[in-house]
Amino acid sequence: MSRSSLLAVTTTALFLSVAPRSAVSAVPTPVSVMPLPHSVVAAEGRLPITAKLTVALRGHDDARLRAGLARALRRAEERTGLTFARTPQAAYVISGDSSAATLVIECGAAAAAVPVLGEDESYTLAITPSQAVLRAPTVHGVLHGLETTLQLLQGDAGGWFLPAMRIEDRPRFPWRGLMLDVCRHWQPMEVVKRTLDGMALAKLNVLHLHLTEDQGFRIESKSFPRLHEMGSDGLYFTQEQMREIIAYAAERCIRVVPEFDIPGHATSWLVGHPEIGSAPGPYVIERKWGIFDPVLDPTNPRTYEILDGFLTEMAALFPDPYLHIGGDENNGVHWSANAKIQQYIRDHDLKDLHGLHTHFNNRVHAILARNGKRLVGWDEILHPDLASGSVVHSWRGPDGIAAATALGFATILSNGYYIDLSHPTVDHYLNDPIPPGSKLTEAQQKLVLGGEATMWAEWVTPETIDSRLWPRTAAIAERLWSRQDVRDVDDMYRRLGYVSRRLEEAGMRHLSYIDPALRRLAGDGASAEDLVLLREFVDLLEPVKVYQRGRHQPDATQHTPLTGLVDCTRPDSRAARGFAAQVDLYLRNPKAPAVAETLSAQLKQWDAMARRLSDGLVKRSPRLREAEPLVQALGAACGAGRDAIEILTHGTKPPARWREAQLSALERAGKPFAAVEFPIMPAIRALVEAAAQP
Ligand code: ACM
């Protein structure tokens, strides 16, 4: 969706559906929670939060609940600066006497020790001026309710408080995931753990770990140690570390679903075991990005011997009943070139490569079934002969869900949730597994389990990954949690600003990584003022979208440092979005002098910033040479925009061929360079077009 049609989307329920309690309080209360709860009823007053806060537990009580509560209280302390009461053992004081407690938690039962698909995750939260009561059937709902409470906590001149309201909340879809590729660029334990904390905040409940790829085999195998020893450069999770991750996730009621991508995307398998490849080898770990030919040999008994041993081992390591086998982008090159494999297709009447792929999948399905696991795979596994009970993970297009469910397969949506591709949040947000007006039958809709954001790791390191994950993933989390009719884009963006800061408080680094990264780019000679200008400049840029970055950096490999200008830019520039909204407002009333002045002043400021960077830091810093054409482009665009506003304000007629000259200058200025682009260009173009109207 384009940025201009974005503005047209804004429709109903500006400040969510907060039903006013009386006709008098017709002003809706802005709730800053994301995902938006199922129902919110605002009430009068506020519950003060002070150092005297006390918590009482009623009903079920266990270690996971207490640990979750302690994490929540600590985050509340860090936000507010308050210190809550502690026991001599330094634990928070939790009592059983609920009459005077600030927060009462009433929990019905334990949640599944290892979380499972379809658990009751609901909770209610009733906040009055005297007490907050959080009720949930299980600990799972309690943890969600605590996240909501933390997001509601706010402060003003009167101190810290929770606004009075009543919330009833439950998820729309049971499978709300994030796929993390830890292969292309290794993502160590600390990234996985903080990502789990961010997921818990956003009420996501599935961490899908993409553990094997052409570029790395990232899990220890005790039965076939050549897999990780030769396929990983030593960068892999030991089984002990993986158990730690699974336990950390379970503490937060998050499932861990592993993916071992086969038969394609499998170069790293073949480095240590070339005998199961479809071509003779030898194989080395792939360092570049793309789709590669190496593929397991589905006709070789040894392939299944290794798969059986390895998957049986992994089935024991990962407690979740679902196991993802990838299955994507097998280009068929090595299968087509291998006479033995071609003969096998004929001998087994498999018809074609897809038939052979399905034959392979069904043999893997049998191994998994023997281990009590359900097979999950990307779109390409879909085939009429695919073993029933498999789950199809849709990524290739908008029709995947319909195609899979038409054949009776359960499905998860990721098409439209590719956060690695740097799309604006709104594109993901309005992408619904079952959109309003969906043509899916009721039976098909029941097969839609939910969706997953996908974080592929060609262009991210532990330093930058959070800036691609957050806060946009929180908007996808809302799509999967909140009601189908929650689609107000302006309100989503309003709440996203809050949740972004809450995520940072919970340990994400999408905001904080940027200043050190810019200091490194600027070099030792940069002044404080240089750094302020540079920050303002990169906040106006975005990484190029979709798969364009590979075209800008065709020689990049796994070893290329990701510390350039593009790595300091972030998707969905807030500055650009604000500017576009102002332009939209202005063009609806070009005679409005205040908006014209604001816009013109903004463009003047950016122009001055571009000039100072161009004459200063950009000349001095070797790392910033690539910014030179971009600062020039910004200056040119700002000039065109200011001219347009001048013409519109005075109602003058632009000179002959003015429009063409400006548009062609903007065309040049708007060309992506060094893998970044200016999202303000469409708004400036709109100003020029408006000024050129007779
Ligand atoms: C994929 O993006 N190849 C699943």
Side-chain angles (χ1 to χ4, degrees):
M1 165 165 304
S2 73
R3 221 166 272 277
S4 51
S5 54
L6 174 170
L7 292 162
V9 165
T10 304
T11 49
T12 52
L14 261 177
F15 279 62
L16 83 122
S17 45
V18 177
R21 211 166 57 144
S22 70
V24 183
S25 79
V27 181
T29 304
V31 169
S32 52
V33 178
M34 182 173 273
L36 198 59
H38 185 81
S39 101
V40 181
V41 179
E44 295 295 326
R46 47 160 70 180
L47 172 63
I49 298 297
T50 68
K52 296 201 173 65
L53 174 133
T54 54
V55 181
L57 294 185
R58 263 199 316 238
H60 176 80
D61 175 5
D62 65 22
R64 179 160 49 177
L65 188 159
R66 285 198 178 228
L69 177 60
R71 288 194 303 275
L73 291 176
R74 185 61 190 155
R75 275 159 62 199
E77 287 185 318
E78 286 171 351
R79 277 192 71 197
T80 59
L82 300 168
T83 309
F84 302 140
R86 281 171 169 73
T87 67
Q89 291 74 33
Y92 293 103
V93 180
I94 312 291
S95 93
D97 172 19
S98 55
S99 56
T102 321
L103 171 64
V104 178
I105 297 175
E106 192 176 307
C107 180
V114 177
V116 292
L117 179 70
E119 274 185 72
D120 188 334
E121 300 180 64
S122 68
Y123 69 93
T124 64
L125 178 62
I127 303 169
T128 68
S130 57
Q131 196 167 59
V133 180
L134 168 58
R135 286 195 181 88
T138 79
V139 173
H140 206 154
V142 171
L143 298 186
H144 288 321
L146 286 170
E147 292 293 349
T148 301
T149 308
L150 275 175
Q151 289 190 42
L152 287 170
L153 175 62
Q154 52 200 281
D156 64 13
W160 294 96
F161 66 97
L162 294 168
M165 64 180 67
R166 183 175 168 76
I167 287 177
E168 289 181 18
D169 205 6
R170 58 178 183 270
R172 180 173 167 216
F173 292 106
W175 188 307
R176 305 180 309 279
L178 169 64
M179 189 223 69
L180 207 56
D181 169 8
V182 297
C183 299
R184 289 177 171 91
H185 278 100
W186 168 238
Q187 305 296 334
M189 183 71 105
E190 73 250 29
V191 172
V192 176
K193 282 190 175 173
R194 73 172 184 255
T195 302
L196 283 163
D197 287 327
M199 291 174 65
L201 190 153
K203 300 186 175 70
L204 291 170
N205 65 359
V206 182
L207 175 66
H208 164 176
L209 281 177
H210 183 79
L211 287 166
T212 68
E213 246 310 332
D214 294 306
Q215 295 86 356
F217 197 100
R218 306 299 185 190
I219 182 75
E220 176 191 24
S221 170
K222 294 187 196 289
S223 46
F224 297 98
R226 291 166 72 88
L227 289 171
H228 69 274
E229 283 172 2
M230 298 181 72
S232 76
D233 305 307
L235 300 173
Y236 61 89
F237 293 115
T238 64
Q239 296 200 0
E240 195 180 331
Q241 287 173 322
M242 189 50 70
R243 276 189 283 273
E244 190 180 328
I245 289 172
I246 293 165
Y248 194 91
E251 275 284 292
R252 289 149 184 78
C253 291
I254 295 172
R255 299 163 49 209
V256 177
V257 173
E259 177 187 349
F260 312 103
D261 203 348
I262 48 176
H265 282 285
T267 308
S268 68
W269 293 69
L270 302 175
V271 183
H273 287 283
E275 73 275 18
I276 63 169
S278 301
Y283 295 88
V284 292
I285 297 174
E286 182 58 57
R287 304 299 178 184
K288 298 202 69 161
W289 316 133
I291 300 170
F292 302 96
D293 301 340
V295 56
L296 305 189
D297 180 355
T299 70
N300 183 349
R302 175 72 176 152
T303 302
Y304 298 102
E305 210 173 274
I306 291 181
L307 284 177
D308 198 333
F310 174 76
L311 292 173
T312 299
E313 185 185 2
M314 291 301 120
L317 177 62
F318 291 91
D320 201 84
Y322 291 80
L323 191 147
H324 204 302
I325 63 154
D328 55 321
E329 298 181 313
N330 167 16
N331 69 9
V333 171
H334 283 185
W335 282 1
S336 298
N338 183 319
K340 186 187 75 160
I341 291 175
Q342 290 303 309
Q343 189 58 44
Y344 189 95
I345 291 176
R346 288 188 289 275
D347 291 349
H348 291 77
D349 197 21
L350 298 173
K351 302 207 167 50
D352 53 19
L353 295 177
H354 199 194
L356 177 63
H357 189 172
T358 304
H359 173 81
F360 170 83
N361 288 337
N362 288 344
R363 291 192 63 171
V364 174
H365 182 277
I367 295 171
L368 295 184
R370 204 162 4 89
N371 284 286
K373 302 292 182 189
R374 273 182 80 172
L375 181 153
V376 188
W378 298 106
D379 266 333
E380 290 91 327
I381 69 165
L382 185 63
H383 188 283
D385 297 337
L386 176 66
S388 67
S390 302
V391 178
V392 178
H393 191 166
S394 163
W395 73 279
R396 285 193 299 188
D399 303 329
I401 292 271
T405 53
L407 289 177
F409 293 105
T411 183
I412 311 159
L413 181 66
S414 278
N415 178 255
Y417 299 140
Y418 268 46
I419 49 175
D420 60 310
L421 302 184
S422 297
H423 291 285
T425 315
V426 58
D427 292 13
H428 304 304
Y429 186 63
L430 296 177
N431 182 60
D432 194 326
I434 307 176
S438 164
K439 301 263 187 312
L440 297 185
T441 65
E442 211 165 296
Q444 282 180 296
Q445 293 193 17
K446 283 208 175 77
L447 290 167
V448 182
L449 302 176
E452 287 185 2
T454 50
M455 185 64 246
W456 299 103
E458 282 93 338
W459 303 107
V460 287
T461 63
E463 178 183 333
T464 61
I465 189 167
D466 292 19
S467 71
R468 275 54 181 160
L469 281 168
W470 308 110
R472 292 175 304 147
T473 295
I476 297 173
E478 171 157 300
R479 175 57 47 231
L480 299 172
W481 175 282
S482 304
R483 293 190 328 232
Q484 188 193 49
D485 62 355
V486 174
R487 293 174 71 83
D488 182 328
V489 172
D490 282 350
D491 194 58
M492 177 274 288
Y493 273 119
R494 182 185 67 78
R495 287 177 293 114
L496 196 67
Y498 288 97
V499 86
S500 180
R501 291 191 286 276
R502 299 296 86 81
L503 284 160
E504 177 100 341
E505 289 164 5
M508 308 313 114
R509 312 222 177 121
H510 56 295
L511 303 174
S512 63
Y513 89 105
I514 189 106
D515 287 326
L518 288 179
R519 268 198 296 281
R520 180 174 53 210
L521 262 191
D524 291 346
S527 67
E529 194 206 347
D530 285 333
L531 290 168
V532 170
L533 291 172
L534 184 58
R535 176 64 194 266
E536 196 184 356
F537 177 62
V538 299
D539 283 347
L540 272 184
L541 295 167
E542 287 179 358
V544 287
K545 313 287 179 295
V546 205
Y547 294 102
Q548 282 187 70
R549 186 160 175 187
R551 277 172 236 137
H552 285 261
Q553 297 182 272
D555 300 326
T557 72
Q558 200 175 39
H559 303 134
T560 304
L562 299 184
T563 58
L565 183 66
V566 55
D567 303 296
C568 297
T569 67
R570 287 167 290 181
D572 210 355
S573 157
R574 206 180 143 104
R577 211 167 353 98
F579 180 75
Q582 286 278 311
V583 168
D584 190 65
L585 183 69
Y586 175 58
L587 292 181
R588 277 187 267 133
N589 183 9
K591 294 281 179 298
V595 187
E597 266 168 41
T598 309
L599 280 175
S600 197
Q602 179 65 88
L603 290 167
K604 191 171 168 186
Q605 187 198 330
W606 286 339
D607 195 8
M609 173 260 282
R611 249 179 255 272
R612 281 152 73 191
L613 280 172
S614 172
D615 294 342
L617 187 61
V618 165
K619 281 211 169 56
R620 295 198 309 272
S621 161
R623 295 297 308 273
L624 283 171
R625 293 269 155 73
E626 64 183 359
E628 178 61 31
L630 291 159
V631 288
Q632 301 296 345
L634 179 60
C638 289
R642 288 175 69 201
D643 282 359
I645 293 169
E646 190 73 17
I647 290 167
L648 285 162
T649 305
H650 297 107
T652 47
K653 188 171 144 54
R657 307 212 45 80
W658 176 85
R659 175 181 173 275
E660 290 67 26
Q662 299 299 317
L663 289 181
S664 97
L666 285 177
E667 163 99 24
R668 280 193 303 280
K671 279 214 166 50
F673 184 81
V676 301
E677 60 189 25
F678 276 113
I680 54 167
M681 291 302 172
I684 296 184
R685 207 174 302 126
L687 285 172
V688 168
E689 289 286 14
Q693 295 285 318

